[in-house]
């Protein structure tokens, strides 16, 4: 009969191997391979193909776990210092800097999440939760300017700004238009100022 030490050892090894699989998938996604073959993930993680399916029910479970891992580890990347405080220029700069940093680091797995969300309610729910959080953050960062507008105008402006900061919009600028962070910053800053009607 296995001893407690043996059971603990097996559990620790299982957890290490499971983490290695997740790390391998996240690394490969960061290299532009959002949905690599299970065989490649297993090889990168140093485990067998069968082991992957001992740790995860299927590919979807693996992807969901990787997305949850990244969002859990990376959530602080969305934090904006002194949210809603300071001159508008500084608030715009901080907002754009944080969003572009998050975009660059999370883009590979976010692309996978966008692909999965149409058929996976759990992915869609998590994705929408992030969207709601970021929209609320946007409203707080630009609260001084939005607060002086009538409600109908405020909602229209907030929606227009929120659209421009969606992952799909940032991905379009970066991938389709080939913009670097400097060019994207100019576009986003101009967009904000135009909708806030400031020079």
């Amino acid at each position: 009969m296995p001893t407690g030490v043996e059971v603990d050892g097996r559990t620790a090894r299982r957890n290490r191997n499971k983490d290695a699989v997740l790390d391998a998938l996240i690394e490969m996604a960061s290299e532009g391979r959002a949905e690599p073959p299970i065989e490649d993930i297993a090889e990168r993680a140093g485990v067998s193909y069968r082991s992957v399916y001992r740790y995860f029910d299927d590919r979807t479970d693996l992807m969901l776990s990787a997305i949850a891992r990244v969002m859990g580890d990376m959530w602080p990347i969305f934090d904006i210092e002194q949210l809603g405080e300071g001159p508008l220029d500084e608030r715009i700069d901080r907002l754009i800097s944080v969003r572009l940093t998050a975009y660059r680091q999370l883009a590979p797995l976010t692309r996978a999440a966008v692909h999965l969300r149409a058929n996976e309610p759990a992915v869609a729910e998590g994705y929408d939760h992030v969207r709601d959080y970021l929209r609320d953050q946007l409203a707080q960062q630009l609260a001084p300017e939005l607060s002086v507008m009538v409600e109908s105008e405020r909602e229209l402006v907030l929606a227009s700004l929120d659209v421009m900061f969606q992952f799909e919009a940032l991905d379009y600028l970066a991938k389709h238009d080939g913009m670097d962070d400097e060019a994207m910053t100019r576009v986003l800053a101009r967009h904000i100022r135009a909708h806030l009607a400031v020079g």
Side-chain angles (χ1 to χ4, degrees), residues 34-71:
E35 297 188 59
I38 296 297
E39 293 87 348
D40 292 359
I41 297 170
E43 183 178 357
R44 176 77 66 96
V47 303
S48 69
Y49 176 89
R50 288 185 177 181
S51 292
V52 175
Y53 286 109
R54 283 203 295 270
Y55 308 138
F56 304 96
D57 295 337
D58 50 32
R59 172 178 282 279
T60 298
D61 183 36
L62 173 57
M63 293 299 297
L64 287 173
S65 298
I67 291 167
R69 169 90 168 261
V70 168
M71 293 310 301

Side-chain angles (χ1 to χ4, degrees), residues 183-195:
M184 290 172 72
T185 296
R186 290 198 302 269
V187 169
L188 293 168
R190 176 176 289 193
H191 186 77
I192 293 172
R193 290 182 172 282
H195 284 283

Side-chain angles (χ1 to χ4, degrees), residues 35 60 63-64 67 109-132 166-168:
E35 297 188 59
T60 298
M63 293 299 297
L64 287 173
I67 291 167
L109 277 178
T110 304
R111 290 189 191 101
V114 169
H115 176 72
L116 288 171
R117 69 189 299 267
N119 299 308
E120 296 295 337
V123 176
E125 182 179 354
Y127 196 84
D128 289 342
H129 174 69
V130 173
R131 277 183 161 174
D132 291 343
Q166 292 297 314
F167 170 79
E168 294 86 343

Side-chain angles (χ1 to χ4, degrees), residues 7-21 47 51-57:
V7 171
D8 287 346
R10 289 176 185 172
T11 300
R13 184 167 60 253
R14 175 186 174 86
N15 289 339
R16 282 196 304 272
N17 288 344
K18 186 173 181 178
D19 286 344
V21 171
V47 303
S51 292
V52 175
Y53 286 109
R54 283 203 295 270
Y55 308 138
F56 304 96
D57 295 337

